[in-house]
Amino acid sequence: MTKQNIPTESHTEMNSSQNTDSSTPLLEVRDLEVTFDTQNGPVHAVRGVSFTLERGESLAIVGESGSGKSTSATAVINLLPSNGRITAGSVKLDGEQLVGISRKDMEKIRGSKIGYVPQDPMSNLNPVWNIGFQVKETLRANGMAKNAKEAEAKAIEALQNAGLPDAAKRLRQYPHQFSGGMRQRALIGIGLSSQPKLLIADEPTSALDVTVQRVILDHLETLTKELGTSVIFITHDLGLAAERAEKLVVMYRGQVVEAGPSREILANPLHPYTQRLVAAAPSLASRRIQAVKTHESIDLAAPTSAIDLQLIERAEHREEVAATATPIISLKDVTKQYKIRTGTFTTETLTAVDNVSFDVAPGTTTAIVGESGSGKSTVAKMVLKLEDVTSGLVRVDGGDVSQIKSSKDVLAFRRRVQPVFQDPYGTLDPLYNIAQTIAEPLVAHGIGNKSERTKRVKELLDQVSLPASTMGRYPNELSGGQRQRVAVARALALKPDVLVLDEAVSALDVLVQGQILNLLTDLQSDLGLSYLFITHDLAVVRLVADNVCVMKSGKIVEAARTDEVFDNPREKYTQDLLAAIPGASIELGS
Amino acid sequence: MQNSERSFPKHFVASIEETPILAVDKVDEDAAPSNLWRDAWRSMRGRAMFWISLFLIVLIAVVSFFPYLFTAEEPNANCQLANSNAGPTEGHPFGFTKQGCDVFARVIHGTSASVTVGLLATIIVVLIGAIFGALAGFYGGVFDAILSRLGDIFFAIPVVLGAIVLMQTIPGTANAFTVALILAVFGWPQVARITRGAVLASRNSDYVTASIALGVTRFRVLLRHVFPNSLAPVIVIATVSLGSYIVAGATLSFLGVGLPPSVMSWGNDIADAQISIRTNPQALLYPAGALSITVLSFLMLGDVVKDALDPRARAR
């Protein structure tokens, strides 16, 4: 089954230039094949993957979920799940074969020679042991410390190096006392504590807020440079990969489709898949749109794609329409407080949303951007009347939402304002088929008879570009993107005026995300919808929003037109957010 | 591999023939349809334990409805003291009791009462428990507090002990229904707790919020979305507890507070047989064995159903 998909010409071409030193490359992966045994027969997750990593170099493996990027990396350190195995190929570290060596030998290599930073900082630290124990455990397992005293000193050093202040005190703290960013620092500290030659970072920051992500990646970069550690990043974000790694390996369906220096791939993607990826990556697309908007005459790394132009055109169209109209959503001094029980009789007041005011003009998109805990989702819930305001006024089309009391009025309100939620897996009832799901609002509002509803369901499926054959299927048979389309179709069933999109595309792969964003803007111009777009991702905002409200700890710190926010951010926090978009520092063009 | 081959290609591109790209996010229109229940059925279908337990349960059902298919012997009419504690003979494969009754006939005829108690108790428990649990979990607040504490009070009393006390206060003779009812009085909190937990888990899911935002009323959301999605653990606990209620019913009979001695049941027979256990173990062993097989088959079914409804337990 092994296919030699590295053309031999490219090797011979390189021989003369790089064959001068006597040392072997640090990591050499050749024709790696990984197979998983599943109920439905073997699945070839990785098919003939080859790449080489020199000392001190950084490499990023980029791909969508299921592309085999993580599997390739875990195969290197043989941390594959029990039903997975390497069926062919070789992995050489310093010229030493790693495939097929005993578990004991592999344990010696893990940690001491190859460090690993896992994806999810929330679940990768054991909650019942303090941080110090977990760092010292690694040090001792790798023979870095002979006694307790030495282990303590080295653990403090490791945490300090990872950028945790007060390391001596932190050793005695437990994971739940750490924020997400601190946990990821601790994990990086653990990964680097034995000064391995190679560090594998599997989506090291995808669970973190962008500003935290940037600080951590910056720190990781200086740290690995100092130690001379080679790094393999696994990431879905092309912008992040190109910014942080010298070389890129683009994977698609278990195979390497393109590999080479980051800049070159970004500037000149040759494989159609890479071209699609470059066109769709929000971090890159937002920069291109920005460039077109400001009429910068820089040579763009990648040509402006058709989608970009379409998005720009639609935005211009919206601006014309919106200029005169009265706002469809209007928030004035809206505050939401929660009472949190701190003891049996004591409560504490938490202000989730603090004096927020903004307007949304009909037919336009207003984005609310903020990091976790900024109160952006609470705003969405208040607009949807799923939460009541503590004080202030939420108006939809002139009417005060809090005054809507009778069930008939609530029903009428629900017809006009519809939500689409983040998690494509949680948003559809697993026991309802697609037709039932989309017809549910029609049934609840008593619209039409059975055949009319079926007709409407077909129409809606067509609007979100799903085949009519989807009607009899159940949510677990559809992909994340398809489920999100169904959720959009359901939201559109009652012909609402407003859609509240709460991180509606955040959980999707880049290409699918691009598709859904395109669908949303398309529907907007067709149906004249107004969107309230809640997101943590400023790059996506650039693609779809007309106005932006940047939220931080319950307050709006900056609200302006999207162009203004991107051209001339006034607040420090907005500037930080913009700078944190991965790929922001890539010099586009020459 | 030669050292010279190590270098990284400057800009490698896979040939497009070898790495064809598919349309983004295309719907697989040929895939066989599936959902939770269909997947569960598919998973159960392939397991031997499912068919064994199902066969036994069907057999038990047939025995309890049509006992004369299995034995022509009248269990009480032909008791002759001459046969007291006699061993197996022609036409009487299990031997005789102390009273000289045919053990085989008694085991066959005792099935109905024993299984009825278990089934009735389970049905009542699931009804009360699921309704209380679902309401408590879904509406929460004071309602939840009251229902949960009430459940805790009943939960604190051991089923058998509570049943003994209650049975003695009941005037007249007990029948299968009263025994089942009294078992259910002490058994419902367990089902209520499990239902409440499952309802709590699905209450906060996005599809529930979405339905509410669509304008579906809360009660309808509970009925159409939350409850069906909380059903799996209830079914599991029902199949498992059916066995234990049969045992509990037999225990009460054994203790002399359950079904009256005139009603034939395994529990009564086991109680009667204990006096002659040394001289005539068969009178004890056969009804006890029948009880064990019945309980075991329901437990096995419960186990298979549990695995089938839990996607994590299903081999993927």
Side-chain angles (χ1 to χ4, degrees), chain A residues 350-379:
Chain A
L350 177 97
T351 308
V353 175
D354 194 359
N355 249 332
V356 162
S357 307
F358 66 87
D359 292 338
V360 180
T364 67
T365 302
T366 296
I368 301 183
V369 188
E371 304 195 323
S372 47
S374 61
K376 57 186 192 300
S377 284
T378 314
V379 170

Side-chain angles (χ1 to χ4, degrees), chain B residues 70-145:
Chain B
F70 297 86
T71 174
E73 201 75 34
E74 278 292 336
N76 283 330
N78 285 338
C79 299
Q80 290 165 352
L81 275 177
N83 289 333
S84 178
N85 287 348
T89 57
E90 184 75 38
H92 307 284
F94 290 178
F96 295 89
T97 64
K98 195 177 177 66
Q99 300 295 327
C101 302
D102 180 11
V103 173
F104 180 70
R106 287 197 70 91
V107 168
I108 293 291
H109 284 273
T111 310
S112 170
S114 304
V115 174
T116 309
V117 168
L119 257 175
L120 272 178
T122 307
I123 291 169
I124 301 170
V125 157
V126 167
L127 275 179
I128 302 177
I131 290 171
F132 278 19
L135 292 176
F138 192 69
Y139 290 104
V142 183
F143 200 62
D144 180 24

Side-chain angles (χ1 to χ4, degrees), chain B residues 196-210:
Chain B
R196 180 177 168 271
V199 164
L200 272 181
S202 53
R203 182 183 73 163
N204 291 324
S205 57
D206 277 351
Y207 57 80
V208 169
T209 321

Side-chain angles (χ1 to χ4, degrees), chain A residues 51 317 436 449 530:
Chain A
F51 59 86
H317 175 71
Q436 287 170 321
N449 58 29
S530 312

Side-chain angles (χ1 to χ4, degrees), chain A residues 553-572:
Chain A
S553 357
K555 291 196 176 76
I556 291 187
V557 295
E558 186 158 359
R561 296 207 3 255
T562 311
D563 298 348
E564 283 167 34
V565 169
F566 276 76
D567 288 351
N568 185 19
R570 262 168 284 145
E571 293 295 319
K572 170 84 173 56

Side-chain angles (χ1 to χ4, degrees), chain A residues 5 14-15 18 25 39 54 252 255 257-259 261 264 271 414 418 426 429 432 440 445 469 473 477 479, chain B residues 4 6 8 10-12 14 18-19 22 25-26 29 31 33-35 207 212-215 224-225 229 315:
Chain A
N5 58 1
M14 299 288 293
N15 287 343
Q18 287 204 6
Q39 210 178 18
E54 303 291 339
Y252 177 62
Q255 289 175 313
V257 293
E258 194 158 349
E264 204 181 311
H271 195 277
R414 300 265 183 248
Q418 286 288 310
D429 188 329
Y432 276 49
E440 193 187 11
H445 290 257
S469 67
R473 304 203 164 274
E477 299 171 68
S479 74
Chain B
S4 60
R6 67 174 180 74
F8 195 81
K10 243 185 193 147
H11 189 159
F12 159 77
E18 278 178 36
T19 55
L22 308 176
D25 215 20
K26 198 173 176 324
E29 296 199 43
S34 78
N35 67 39
Y207 57 80
I212 291 172
L214 288 169
R224 300 294 302 272
H225 290 287
N229 275 292

